[in-house]
Amino acid sequence: MGDSGWSRRRAERQWQRDLLREIRAMETTDEGPDGGTVTPIRGGLPRAARPSRRARHAPPGPAPLAHERRRTLLTVLVTLGVIGALVVLNLGPGSAQVRQWLGFDDRFGTQVEGDGSGSYEFLATRPGTDEPVGWSHCEPIPYVVNTDGAPDDWEDLVRDATDRMQEASGLVFEDRGTTDDRDFEGRFGLAGGAEPVLIAWADEDEVPGLSGDVAGLAGPMSRNDGMFQKYVTGRVVLDKEAFEEIESVRGGDEQREAIVLHELGHLVGLAHVDDPGELMHPTTETTELGPGDRSGLAILGDAPC
């Protein structure tokens, strides 16, 4: 870049020289009343006025609006990064169900060997500990059933499965009757209160997650009560077409109840395991809770109030 001050001074000097040359070329006689002569200018002319230093403009910088936009964009990116870390690393309220809907369920965490020969894994653990996120064992887990598309013996299936889960975990299930509600995702009311767990039957047109060989989906929804993150509601969605097919085969009643029990395992906080001897194995044919299942459920049943 050039020196703008030097260029301006050079231009001023040239202007002075040119003006002086023009004046000297003029006649030196004055036609005034005294008829005298005019003395030619021998000295230099005053310099042209220089602009005040305060009037000079500062070097151009980023416009305030553009600067604010960049800062806002940076803030948004940092915030999204933090949220993503909380979800993936399981450090935020509700991260377990978010990870499940995003397809991350059972891809994180460490499978733990139970007291027997089996194993268990939790959907979520409290930050910095191995303690699982769970339901308060001081309060019952309320649930309602939507019977649209349910098998004729739905009441026996749900009652027997909840009784078995209650016996294994110590968590109490409270039957709140039937409902017309089919909102599987919005289990929090307008005032922020938790709605009862929803148990219902559906097909893959209504719940795409039931496509293929999936016979059921379930998951808890959590909230931070100021001290601990804990589960306060959730949903269990069972494939009505699969239940119809299984009912017609030998041993179908035990298999259907085992599916409900498996999904209740997810509801209270268990994740899938690799051991086919456990009911929480994703494709096992066992109809009974394994030793790892029972070990994990005993821990979940002792979660803080």
Side-chain angles (χ1 to χ4, degrees):
M1 296 178 65
D3 188 339
S4 59
W6 177 83
S7 300
R8 186 174 57 254
R9 290 193 296 272
R10 180 180 180 184
E12 289 175 354
R13 288 195 294 271
Q14 184 63 42
W15 171 79
Q16 291 177 7
R17 287 195 295 269
D18 292 343
L19 181 61
L20 185 60
R21 188 180 302 109
E22 293 292 335
I23 292 176
R24 287 175 176 171
M26 295 172 63
E27 294 183 1
T28 58
T29 57
D30 185 13
E31 299 297 336
D34 56 3
T37 60
V38 177
T39 303
I41 296 177
R42 301 298 181 186
L45 294 175
R47 293 184 178 183
R50 298 177 61 185
S52 170
R53 289 182 179 271
R54 292 183 179 180
R56 296 176 183 175
H57 295 289
L65 181 58
H67 177 70
E68 289 298 325
R69 286 176 176 171
R70 284 198 296 273
R71 186 167 63 181
T72 300
L73 178 59
L74 179 60
T75 302
V76 170
L77 292 176
V78 171
T79 302
L80 291 176
V82 171
I83 293 174
L86 290 176
V87 171
V88 172
L89 297 179
N90 209 16
L91 300 179
S95 59
Q97 62 268 25
V98 174
R99 286 168 50 235
Q100 185 180 36
W101 285 114
L102 292 178
F104 293 136
D105 188 28
D106 305 327
R107 291 169 173 80
F108 297 89
T110 302
Q111 190 162 296
V112 180
E113 293 298 324
D115 295 335
S117 60
S119 57
Y120 60 87
E121 186 173 351
F122 301 122
L123 286 175
T125 55
R126 302 186 190 281
T129 74
D130 294 328
E131 297 297 320
V133 177
W135 296 76
S136 168
H137 71 268
C138 299
E139 300 175 2
I141 301 175
Y143 69 90
V144 291
V145 180
N146 187 306
T147 62
D148 185 18
D152 294 337
D153 59 344
W154 67 266
E155 197 166 4
D156 292 335
L157 287 172
V158 172
R159 183 185 61 250
D160 292 345
T162 53
D163 285 348
R164 292 171 65 182
M165 183 56 63
Q166 183 169 298
E167 180 272 330
S169 66
L171 298 170
V172 177
F173 286 81
E174 181 182 12
D175 184 358
R176 294 278 185 89
T178 60
T179 180
D180 294 330
D181 186 4
R182 296 192 70 80
D183 188 353
F184 300 117
E185 298 183 30
R187 303 311 302 158
F188 291 96
L190 295 178
E195 299 288 342
V197 170
L198 176 60
I199 301 177
W201 279 257
D203 57 26
E204 62 182 89
D205 292 332
E206 183 178 8
V207 180
L210 295 174
S211 61
D213 295 331
V214 178
L217 294 172
M221 300 178 183
S222 64
R223 171 177 289 162
N224 194 315
D225 62 1
M227 294 184 62
F228 298 105
Q229 179 188 353
K230 64 182 181 180
Y231 299 132
V232 294
T233 186
R235 72 275 184 273
V236 175
V237 190
L238 305 164
D239 190 318
K240 63 181 182 182
E241 296 178 355
F243 269 65
E244 290 173 358
E245 294 176 2
I246 296 173
E247 185 178 12
S248 62
V249 302
R250 184 176 180 181
D253 291 345
E254 290 79 8
Q255 291 183 30
R256 291 185 301 148
E257 185 179 326
I259 293 172
V260 179
L261 187 61
H262 174 101
E263 300 307 330
L264 289 178
H266 286 315
L267 178 71
V268 299
L270 287 180
H272 285 151
V273 294
D274 298 330
D275 187 346
E278 304 292 346
L279 187 63
M280 294 312 297
H281 185 275
T283 60
T284 185
E285 294 183 359
T286 183
T287 59
E288 299 293 334
L289 291 168
D293 299 322
R294 292 185 178 277
S295 295
L297 289 174
I299 296 173
L300 286 167
D302 196 34
C305 291

